Amino acid sequence: MLDALFASWRDIEHLLQTLESEEWMTETSLPGWTVHDVVAHIIGTESMLRGVATPEMDVDVSTLKHVRNDIGVMNEHWVRKLRGLDPGELQQMFSTVTAQRRSELSDLPVAQWNEITATPAGPDTYGRFMRVRIFDCWMHELDIRDAVARPASDRELVGPASTLALDEMAASMGFVVGKLGGAPDGARVRIELTGPLQREINIAIQGRGRVVQNFGAEQPTSTITMDGVLFTRLAGGRTPPSAHSGAITFGGDEVVGRRIVEHLDYVI
């Protein structure tokens, strides 16, 4: 877990070092946020986890169209608070807060990793919260890369951060396929990811959606095949399925498969 989280922070830091000043103001796929804002958001979350209070605002950010919940309100407070920093200052702040978090997490007793706490995925262990942090930071690296047209190479994509980020996403696919995608009871859905991030995610619908290792002797009733990076962008709501229709293929019950893809965006 620590190897993955620390690697994600290191990769983001290396990426930021390649940016020209004007690229920090580039709009990302996240509504209302520039590259600068995405970095500020990561700083804010890690600062909050260090016990730093959320900055006060003199405006009600909950009324903004892209702010949809309490977590969004907290995020927006940090983003707006740090907008006055120039790129060099923000980059240094990122380096400082992640260094502090590395030290704290490295010394965290195992018992505290297993303590139940509030997480973006509901009550769970602090360790699960850190897996969500890996997912979030890795996704934001891709957000920055997309914005400034610096896609990751295959070598840069494959590593502990992407593996655990996809583990975190796969854990939500029972809910996504069964609840959001409306796969019928008895359905067996296989999401096949191709490319450097290749893996299979199998979901069986038995009253509710459940991620399973395989379907035993039975075949999937629907298959959905796409590149692994595209899957992460769709599930994160960074791009609409309609923009990638030729990059997604279906097998078996195509109606169910297409409905699932249309509802793949589950990130809060």
Side-chain angles (χ1 to χ4, degrees):
M1 192 80 74
L2 292 183
D3 287 347
L5 187 55
F6 298 169
S8 182
W9 290 340
R10 184 177 62 249
D11 291 345
I12 292 171
E13 189 162 14
H14 290 167
L15 176 59
L16 297 181
Q17 290 169 357
T18 72
L19 301 184
E20 301 294 338
S21 295
E22 62 273 13
E23 289 180 308
W24 285 78
M25 296 299 109
T26 306
E27 295 290 333
T28 69
S29 57
L30 299 169
W33 282 10
T34 63
V35 169
H36 188 288
D37 295 334
V38 169
V39 178
H41 156 60
I42 300 172
I43 291 170
T45 304
E46 298 306 330
S47 296
M48 178 271 293
L49 289 169
R50 296 198 67 242
V52 179
T54 302
E56 296 292 333
M57 285 284 109
D58 56 3
V59 295
D60 183 5
V61 298
S62 67
T63 62
L64 298 173
K65 186 177 181 180
H66 63 275
V67 176
R68 298 182 292 183
N69 47 51
D70 290 341
I71 293 177
V73 169
M74 181 194 71
N75 291 341
E76 199 68 22
H77 278 221
W78 279 104
V79 165
R80 287 171 173 258
K81 174 69 174 180
L82 299 180
R83 273 186 180 153
L85 298 184
D86 67 41
E89 292 173 315
L90 196 71
Q91 190 171 338
Q92 182 56 53
M93 193 173 185
F94 178 88
S95 299
T96 298
V97 73
T98 52
Q100 291 167 334
R101 287 286 288 153
R102 280 189 195 96
S103 177
E104 292 168 354
L105 288 169
S106 297
D107 294 337
L108 197 70
V110 171
Q112 284 185 245
W113 279 90
N114 296 324
E115 285 183 358
I116 301 300
T117 186
T119 84
D124 211 320
T125 64
Y126 190 80
R128 170 70 187 282
F129 196 166
M130 292 307 98
R131 191 173 76 170
V132 175
R133 292 304 305 134
I134 293 165
F135 155 74
D136 190 60
C137 292
W138 183 73
M139 284 286 282
H140 287 316
E141 179 194 343
L142 297 186
D143 292 331
I144 296 169
R145 287 186 174 281
D146 284 353
V148 299
R150 282 178 178 76
S153 66
D154 289 359
R155 180 185 60 80
E156 290 169 324
L157 277 173
V158 178
S162 61
T163 297
L164 287 183
L166 280 167
D167 285 350
E168 176 59 35
M169 299 182 81
S172 297
M173 287 301 109
F175 167 75
V176 171
V177 170
K179 184 71 171 180
L180 302 183
D185 200 43
R188 297 179 297 278
V189 178
R190 174 169 294 157
I191 302 174
E192 299 178 344
L193 306 185
T194 61
L197 303 180
Q198 63 182 5
R199 66 165 63 191
E200 285 184 354
I201 305 172
N202 295 309
I203 305 96
I205 309 298
Q206 297 169 333
R208 63 182 182 86
R210 185 167 57 92
V211 177
V212 297
Q213 185 172 358
N214 55 59
F215 300 125
E218 305 210 84
Q219 294 298 310
T221 56
S222 296
T223 61
I224 305 165
T225 304
M226 71 181 82
D227 178 78
V229 174
L230 176 57
F231 169 77
T232 69
R233 310 316 280 160
L234 293 173
R238 268 58 171 188
T239 185
S242 58
H244 306 278
S245 57
I248 307 170
T249 59
F250 301 91
D253 190 332
E254 187 171 334
V255 172
V256 169
R258 289 187 178 278
R259 188 166 65 239
I260 292 167
V261 170
E262 288 296 327
H263 294 85
L264 202 54
D265 172 12
Y266 78 95
V267 177
I268 59 174

